[in-house]
Every structure is written in structure tokens, then in C-alpha cells.
Amino acid sequence: MRIMISADMEGATGVTWTADVEVGTEQWQRFRKMFTGDVNACVEGLFAGGATDVLVNEAHSSQRNILLEDLDPRARMLTGRHKPLSMMQGIDSGVDGVVFLGYHAAAGVEGVLSHTYLPNQITGVFLDGVRASEGRLNAALAAEHGVPVLLVTGDDLTCEDAGEYAPDARSVAVKECVSRYAAICTPPAVTAAAITEQAHLGMARAGRFAGSASGHRIEVEFDAAHLAAAAAVVPTVDQLEVRRVGFDAASMTDAMKAFKVVTAIASGAVEGSYG
């Protein structure tokens, strides 16, 4: 059984603040250890449940956050940016299950450090008319490749969201959202035990199913008009409203690649403190 972990950081144990996840800060150095601890707890549970290979795909920011020297030696890690499928690189390699570890709620809703791909320029992403978190987008991509979601970890609102897009997956709430920058947190020793247990139980669902590609529509709402105008330069991307763009794709794989282009162009159009 080959399992992939897509490891984001905003939903890791203890994380509540921007500096906790911003590369190079003192806080980031501290929370890299907790993030790595969450990953190791998950790896432990997956192997206990029958996994024979675990690939950890770094999915946050620079995608160089997990401490390789502290990683469970049974796991392998895909680290670094500029991966075609970004957070989900490896989902098309024949894995039998995927874990969304350290995930968070969507842009435009309550949740600790809630966002969708860009930290604050996007106010909403909609997949086939439904507001989409990164988890919902990535679950749709996993389904296209016949890969079940085994476990989702993050704050309590992330787990509620997962109950909608992956109702059969296990979940672990490592913190309770109070606001975008505050949460009631549980110590790492407690969250690690919970993650290990649920990863172990989640392995009962491991096993590929018959995936199939179908068309999807993604719409993106930005916080400023010029970002929508910049994104609409991409062929097939239409500016629907002053701050909203949309596009259709023949498959979820194509949709996510196009979404990556849209977010990259919008990010490049941000100008200083005025956005």
C-alpha cells in the first residue's frame, strides 16, 4: 500500500499567526518542529495500518518546511517548488490513498489562517458553483485519479469542511478556531497520539478505485479589480465581474493547472501595501 501525505502548514499543531508559517521568522523555525511532528505521527499511523511506502509532499509556501533530518526514516519526502500539480504532486503515481495534513478552511470563511492558495488576495474560489477550500479542490483531483482521502487534519472548521467533500475520511481537529489569528490549541503530545490513531484507522479505506476525468468550472473572486483584469489575460479565462474571473477545463487536472497559472499571475500583479 503506497500512501501520499499532502502536508500544508497553516493547519499544523499550534499554528495561529502569520509569522508561524512565514519562511525565515523565529516563529517559523519553532513551528517547523511541530509541523514535522504532525507528519511523523501520521507516518507512524499509516505504517501501523499496513502502508508499505509513504511519500510526503511538502505543500506549504516555499515547500521546504519539514525538517528532513527529523523525518521518520520510513518515509520519503518530495520537497521544493515548481511541481506541476503543486500540493498534489504524486497523486498520479499509483498511490492507494492520500492524507491532507495541516489543512485549513477556505478563503472567505471563518477559520485559522483561512485562505485558498494566495494568503489574502482571493476572497473566494468556487468549484462547479460551490465555495472551495484547497481540500475540496485537491479531493476532486484525487478522485479523478481514483485515490481516496483517508484523513484530514487542521482546525475544527477544516474538519467540518472535510465532512462535506470527503465524508468517509477520518479527521483530527488539532485546534479550535476562535478567530483567523487565534485558536484553542492542544499540546503536540496529544495531537500526535490522535493523528497516529486516526491515520491507522484511515488505512482501512486505502485502495484505488476507478477514477474518471470530467469537465469542471472554477471561478475566482479577488479583493481588487486589477487582479481580475491581470488573470483574464490568460486564454480561456473570462472576466465575469470587476473582481471575478472564471474558466472551464476538460478535467480536474487541467483545471488545477489553469488555477495555478491564474493565482501566479494575480500574485505577480500585487503592488506593495496597496495590493
Side-chain angles (χ1 to χ4, degrees):
M1 281 287 177
R2 300 177 58 228
I3 308 300
M4 173 179 147
I5 300 174
S6 174
D8 206 356
M9 195 172 181
E10 287 89 355
T13 294
V15 168
T16 60
W17 189 38
T18 55
D20 296 347
V21 295
E22 288 182 342
V23 175
T25 67
E26 182 179 351
Q27 286 294 101
W28 172 71
Q29 291 288 7
R30 175 190 175 204
F31 282 99
R32 292 177 76 189
K33 297 178 182 177
M34 291 197 215
F35 183 28
T36 305
D38 283 4
V39 170
N40 283 339
C42 185
V43 171
E44 176 69 27
L46 294 175
F47 275 103
T52 57
D53 179 80
V54 174
L55 175 66
V56 181
N57 178 22
E58 278 246 30
H60 173 69
S61 186
S62 66
Q63 298 173 7
R64 292 180 174 87
N65 307 280
I66 296 169
L67 297 169
L68 179 61
E69 59 271 32
D70 293 339
L71 185 66
D72 187 311
R74 294 171 294 180
R76 298 177 298 132
M77 184 168 73
L78 172 56
T79 185
R81 296 182 61 192
H82 307 301
K83 297 173 285 197
L85 293 179
S86 190
M87 301 179 77
M88 293 295 281
Q89 187 67 32
I91 200 67
D92 56 352
S93 64
V95 295
D96 300 293
V98 64
V99 172
F100 296 164
L101 184 138
Y103 271 43
H104 49 80
V109 302
E110 293 275 359
V112 177
L113 296 178
S114 58
H115 68 283
T116 307
Y117 269 66
L118 300 186
N120 56 21
Q121 287 80 30
I122 290 176
T123 57
V125 175
F126 303 86
L127 175 62
D128 300 325
V130 178
R131 184 179 292 273
S133 60
E134 292 169 11
R136 182 178 290 273
L137 294 171
N138 292 342
L141 181 57
E144 180 167 286
H145 292 279
V147 180
V149 180
L150 309 181
L151 169 66
V152 180
T153 79
D155 71 4
D156 56 324
L157 300 181
T158 301
C159 294
E160 287 184 18
D161 180 46
E164 296 182 4
Y165 66 75
D168 296 325
R170 297 280 174 168
S171 65
V172 176
V174 301
K175 54 200 167 193
E176 180 182 341
C177 176
V178 173
S179 74
R180 183 170 168 81
Y181 301 114
I184 300 170
C185 296
T186 306
V190 178
T191 60
I195 292 170
T196 297
E197 178 185 18
Q198 294 304 315
H200 186 174
L201 294 172
M203 280 297 296
R205 297 194 62 244
R208 295 173 56 76
F209 56 87
S212 63
S214 60
H216 292 277
R217 179 168 181 80
I218 291 181
E219 295 187 6
V220 184
E221 183 181 84
F222 296 99
D223 66 356
H226 72 287
L227 302 184
V233 172
V234 179
T236 76
V237 176
D238 298 318
Q239 187 164 1
L240 307 174
E241 299 174 9
V242 66
R243 295 185 295 106
R244 193 178 183 109
V245 300
F247 60 89
D248 296 297
S251 69
M252 195 61 199
T253 300
D254 288 346
M256 288 304 292
K257 289 180 177 178
F259 180 60
K260 183 179 178 182
V261 172
V262 166
T263 57
I265 288 179
S267 179
V270 174
E271 298 290 347
S273 60
Y274 283 87

